[in-house]
């Protein structure tokens, strides 16, 4: 495969439907999804992808039934506590984006310690969006800038300055977004960063997403011409 995305973003959709189809509780779907995701970190690195960002829990997911929210938080807590060994072995840098102040303090501490332990790793940068919403991220960034600068700075605010105030500062924008399970929506994910990304929609539910499915998405990406609003050579 010749053209590989540097940064892949994934909306991990369909865990609930996958579980229901198997007669399992929804939470079993999330647990299966988390296992697939951990393996996928290694698969994407081996394809040449250098940044992976996944939508694990949105600012709107708090509206789910309390037992599903606590099962998801437990999964994420377990991941933050137990994955340091595998992350170090794979030289993977883990970062969490989203409003961490809205999370329980023990979870915030586990996140900080995993981020710190892996911060010098030079392999895959794995970004987990947790209590994340694209609109919320932009509002937080604007509020932060307004609290640090005067009105003249805010009046002249540039695209670059706002981008640098987002949770994803210093991470290149995604080249490709994959969403599983047939839905074709962004659902408030990386609204700013997906401005020029290519989109790929896979029919299978996230827990059924395999390396072969990834290859199909990468093949589709490889066949596209990216334009970033301009024209490419030969089109002028
Ligand atoms: C969407 O499926 C999925 C989620 C809201 C949660 C995704 C989270 C994980 C896979 C766990 C992440 C784990 C780690 C280790 C970072 P859905 O519940 O909306 O499925 P449905 O549309 O079929 O109901």
């Amino acid at each position: 495969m010749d053209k590989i995305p540097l940064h892949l973003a994934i909306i991990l959709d369909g865990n609930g439907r996958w579980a229901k189809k198997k007669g399992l509780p929804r939470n079993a779907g999330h647990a299966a999804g988390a296992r697939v995701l951990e393996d996928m970190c290694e698969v994407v690195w081996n394809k040449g992808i250098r940044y992976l960002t996944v939508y694990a829990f949105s600012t709107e997911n708090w509206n789910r039934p309390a037992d599903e929210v606590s099962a998801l938080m437990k999964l994420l807590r377990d991941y933050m506590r137990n994955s340091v060994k595998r992350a170090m072995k794979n030289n993977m840098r883990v970062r969490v984006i989203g409003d961490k102040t809205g999370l329980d303090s023990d979870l915030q501490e586990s996140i900080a310690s995993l981020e710190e332990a892996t911060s010098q790793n030079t392999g895959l940068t794995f970004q987990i969006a947790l209590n994340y919403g694209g609109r919320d991220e932009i509002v937080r960034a604007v509020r932060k800038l307004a609290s640090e600068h005067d009105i003249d700075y805010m009046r002249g605010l540039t695209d670059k300055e706002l981008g640098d105030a987002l949770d994803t500062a210093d991470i290149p924008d995604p080249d490709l977004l994959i969403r599983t399970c047939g839905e074709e929506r962004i659902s408030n994910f990386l609204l700013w960063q997906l401005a020029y990304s290519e989109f790929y929609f896979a029919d299978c539910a996230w827990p059924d997403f395999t390396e072969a499915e990834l290859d199909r998405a990468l093949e589709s990406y490889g066949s596209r011409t990216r334009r970033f609003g301009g024209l490419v050579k030969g089109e002028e």
Side-chain angles (χ1 to χ4, degrees):
M1 231 170 285
D2 45 2
K3 203 171 61 181
I4 289 288
L6 183 66
H7 184 172
L8 171 66
I10 309 182
I11 299 179
L12 314 162
D13 200 10
N15 293 342
R17 277 166 281 176
W18 179 90
K20 192 171 174 207
K21 225 167 127 187
K22 291 188 150 23
L24 296 169
R26 291 179 57 80
N27 297 338
H30 296 313
R35 286 193 296 273
V36 168
L37 179 58
E38 290 191 54
D39 292 343
M40 201 45 70
C41 287
E42 288 156 27
V43 173
V44 301
W45 173 259
N46 290 331
K47 304 273 175 208
I49 291 163
R50 295 298 173 250
Y51 300 86
L52 174 66
T53 302
V54 299
Y55 208 4
F57 193 92
S58 75
T59 43
E60 288 71 37
N61 284 152
W62 298 107
N63 297 325
R64 295 201 173 196
D67 70 318
E68 183 169 349
V69 170
S70 55
L72 275 165
M73 287 299 148
K74 181 177 184 318
L75 258 184
L76 291 158
R77 216 175 234 108
D78 289 349
Y79 180 80
M80 301 304 163
R81 286 186 186 151
N82 303 330
S83 66
V84 67
K85 211 166 149 190
R86 188 166 175 181
M88 295 312 283
K89 181 175 152 275
N90 291 330
N91 194 21
M92 184 169 85
R93 177 168 70 132
V94 184
R95 299 178 20 143
V96 171
I97 58 169
D99 184 3
K100 292 181 229 179
T101 64
L103 302 172
D104 286 351
S105 58
D106 71 299
L107 180 52
Q108 289 186 42
E109 282 161 27
S110 312
I111 291 169
S113 105
L114 180 61
E115 286 182 329
E116 167 64 23
T118 62
S119 63
Q120 301 305 311
N121 288 347
T122 55
L124 183 75
T125 295
F126 179 39
Q127 286 198 121
I128 303 169
L130 211 182
N131 194 24
Y132 177 88
R135 290 181 176 180
D136 177 69
E137 180 189 32
I138 294 168
V139 170
R140 281 187 291 107
V142 172
R143 285 188 179 151
K144 178 168 161 276
L145 289 169
S147 72
E148 293 168 352
H149 299 277
D150 62 15
I151 190 71
D152 285 338
Y153 177 91
M154 294 307 289
R155 283 196 176 121
L157 188 69
T158 64
D159 182 317
K160 164 100 175 61
E161 286 161 347
L162 181 48
D164 287 346
L166 297 174
D167 299 343
T168 51
D170 69 39
I171 302 284
D173 289 342
D175 302 288
L176 175 65
L177 170 79
I178 296 176
R179 182 172 185 145
T180 55
C181 217
E183 311 292 344
E184 302 188 355
R185 292 188 287 272
I186 297 192
S187 302
N188 204 12
F189 189 42
L190 301 175
L191 293 183
W192 177 277
Q193 298 86 342
L194 291 172
Y196 287 104
S197 308
E198 297 292 326
F199 287 17
Y200 181 89
F201 301 103
D203 286 332
C204 70
W206 173 252
D208 285 332
F209 195 80
T210 56
E211 184 170 353
E213 293 284 348
L214 176 67
D215 284 341
R216 270 192 278 284
L218 295 180
E219 209 166 292
S220 167
Y221 175 81
S223 69
R224 303 184 195 184
T225 303
R226 303 197 58 196
R227 291 179 47 158
F228 301 98
L231 295 180
V232 292
K233 246 189 142 124
E235 281 186 326
E236 300 95 339

